[in-house]
Amino acid sequence: MSTQRPRPARVGVIGLGAMGLGIAETLHQSGFDVTGCDINASARTAFVALGGASVESPAELHDCEIVLTVVINGHQVEQVLFGEQGLASTLARGSLILQCATIAPSQAKALHARLTSHGLGMLDAPISGGAARAKSGELSVMASGAPETFAQAQSVLDAMAAHVYRLGDAPGVGSSMKLVNQLLAGVHIASAAEAVALGIRMGLAPEVVFEVITHSAGNSWMFENRVPHILSGDYTPLSAVDIFVKDLDLVHQTGRELSMATPVAASALQQFMAASGAGFGREDDAAVIKVYQKLSGITLPSAANDDTVQVSPRK
């Protein structure tokens, strides 16, 4: 008769941004004892308002059995684990890190080796799905790690994800798959922006472009999800331009490590870099279309040219 591993007594979530806050809320609502960690006081306050506990320093999560890192980049992962107030030296041996940030596969392998030396487990577990699916517990997790780490994390994964892809025993495989996803996501967003910009430049109404393309072969998930941001003129960051500057640069760096050219991803990277350089880095990634606004003078949907809602996107 099989036995189910008991759920962890305490779970930590480092990084209470759009994705991390949604995950922390989902786990809290699923009955886990969750402590969120973020240097941003307003982020901590937001989680406390939902009924959770919060701390400022990763080291304060020392009594957690499982800790998820949901931060922006590899440097932040390094700092929260091994920095001055890092977690690795304070966790009890046998505790588990779910590394959910998008990082280079080579870094995932190095982190696993360092955490192992501290007596800690690691599941290489990047996530996808956006803030809404994080909040609803319907993320996709692209994970790799030893079977015992999957068993240890099972109850947490069940609560936060609709799909958990077990990609192998080796660290780095999950991060490799996430880079494939991010290459496609970045290219699709940049392509969607270019297509809508071209339509506007040719005199087509952007809402009509959206309606036709979402019922045609040129549609993509990103087109259907991001173009409504353009139609409403709302660039409130759900996933920022600078995220794709970082992620597509990781694709480029990994391709260079493998001596493999990634020209389509490189072209998309240049568009996101142009948007960031023009001052749109912290806006929603759909703001990559503003590069075309600057270069070709197209008029984007807005009410009084101030990025407020003008049209209602398809539901």
Side-chain angles (χ1 to χ4, degrees):
M1 183 175 64
S2 62
T3 58
Q4 186 174 7
R5 188 184 184 100
R7 62 170 51 194
R10 189 178 177 201
V11 177
V13 178
I14 302 178
L16 297 174
M19 295 283 279
L21 181 61
I23 292 170
E25 181 181 358
T26 292
L27 295 177
H28 173 69
Q29 292 179 344
S30 298
F32 291 91
D33 181 1
V34 183
T35 301
C37 175
D38 203 294
I39 60 173
N40 187 312
S42 62
R44 299 196 303 274
T45 300
F47 185 50
V48 170
L50 296 171
S54 72
V55 296
E56 182 177 359
S57 165
E60 296 177 77
L61 299 174
H62 54 83
D63 57 349
C64 291
E65 295 178 33
I66 294 180
V67 178
L68 293 79
T69 56
V70 196
V71 293
I72 293 175
N73 55 36
H75 174 71
Q76 290 188 1
V77 174
E78 177 76 20
Q79 289 301 304
V80 301
L81 292 178
F82 302 108
E84 185 176 346
Q85 296 294 319
L87 180 65
S89 61
T90 66
L91 277 181
R93 295 179 69 86
S95 299
L96 178 65
I97 303 294
L98 262 66
Q99 201 309 102
C100 299
T102 302
I103 62 175
S106 56
Q107 184 180 9
K109 295 174 186 177
L111 288 172
H112 176 264
R114 293 178 69 184
L115 289 169
T116 298
S117 71
H118 285 269
L120 304 174
M122 186 187 103
L123 196 64
D124 183 19
I127 53 179
S128 182
R133 291 185 183 180
K135 188 174 182 178
S136 64
E138 297 178 298
L139 290 171
S140 291
V141 181
M142 306 164 214
S144 62
E148 57 268 24
T149 62
F150 276 102
Q152 190 174 354
Q154 191 63 57
S155 60
V156 169
L157 294 171
D158 288 344
M160 64 184 276
H163 303 285
V164 178
Y165 297 99
R166 297 183 62 153
L167 301 172
D169 296 346
V173 181
S175 288
S176 295
M177 184 60 72
K178 182 61 186 295
L179 281 195
V180 172
N181 182 80
Q182 294 308 92
L183 185 158
L184 289 167
V187 167
H188 288 172
I189 294 169
S191 297
E194 184 167 294
V196 172
L198 177 63
I200 293 171
R201 188 68 178 84
M202 294 189 298
L204 299 174
E207 62 270 24
V208 175
V209 173
F210 179 73
E211 177 66 21
V212 172
I213 294 303
T214 54
H215 292 91
S216 303
N219 191 31
S220 68
W221 191 94
M222 282 299 187
F223 186 97
E224 193 158 347
N225 185 267
R226 296 307 204 267
V227 173
H229 303 181
I230 298 169
L231 298 181
S232 65
D234 184 0
Y235 298 96
T236 302
L238 300 178
S239 174
V241 164
D242 280 345
I243 294 294
F244 277 98
V245 172
K246 182 263 296 185
D247 288 356
L248 289 173
D249 189 52
L250 280 178
V251 171
H252 173 71
Q253 291 177 25
T254 301
R256 186 172 57 194
E257 290 174 7
L258 299 171
S259 297
M260 176 179 170
T262 53
V264 178
S267 179
L269 172 60
Q270 290 301 312
Q271 289 302 102
F272 283 105
M273 289 179 64
S276 182
F280 308 127
R282 295 189 177 183
E283 296 189 21
D284 187 80
D285 50 35
V288 70
I289 196 171
K290 293 184 179 182
V291 173
Y292 298 97
Q293 182 182 38
K294 283 186 170 290
L295 293 177
S296 62
I298 61 171
T299 300
L300 297 176
S302 64
N305 296 319
D306 60 0
D307 288 341
T308 54
V309 175
Q310 179 185 37
V311 295
S312 298
R314 175 183 172 212
K315 301 294 185 183

